[in-house]
Amino acid sequence: MPQAAPRLFAPSLLQGAGLPGDRGARLAARQALVSLKLSFIEALDGLPAVEWLRCQIRSAEQPVDLWLLRAPVFAALEGAENEHRLRRQKLRRGLDSMFQDLDEPTSAFASLY
């Protein structure tokens, strides 16, 4: 009785295939990035002389790109106006949702009381 040839298994053929969970994780990460980009764009809505920032935000490909743009965006939103304060708070919430592990580091010092 003839034996069937074993199936060809070469890991190089499967590179980039990924598991279904991997695809879901990539989609979730992309949705989170788009949501953060929208938060940045909304924060700058109606402000004068921020077209360069808008262009940089639109071209961001990674969350870290937006993290690096946070200082100029917050500088554009400086001031005591209630509208700017609300925009800064909303942007901080968006950043906190993306960069959860960047909270204040815990101190190595213990309280004596």
Side-chain angles (χ1 to χ4, degrees), residues 4 16-17 24 34 40 43 61 63 67-68 70 75 104 109:
V34 169
F40 270 73
E61 295 179 4
W67 178 258
L68 295 173
R70 75 192 187 288
E104 293 293 320
F109 296 100

Side-chain angles (χ1 to χ4, degrees), residues 5-77:
R7 291 185 177 185
L8 175 64
F9 177 77
S12 62
L13 295 175
L14 297 176
Q15 283 182 345
L19 298 173
D22 296 340
R23 183 173 185 272
R26 285 192 309 270
L27 283 172
R30 180 67 184 164
Q31 288 172 341
L33 175 65
V34 169
S35 176
L36 187 58
K37 285 171 94 169
L38 288 173
S39 295
F40 270 73
I41 294 291
E42 289 172 3
L44 295 175
D45 188 41
L47 295 178
V50 291
E51 191 55 39
W52 177 83
L53 274 173
R54 282 190 195 102
C55 182
Q56 296 299 311
I57 292 166
R58 283 189 209 110
S59 65
E61 295 179 4
Q62 298 291 324
V64 71
D65 298 335
L66 296 173
W67 178 258
L68 295 173
L69 291 171
R70 75 192 187 288
V73 172
F74 281 120
L77 292 170

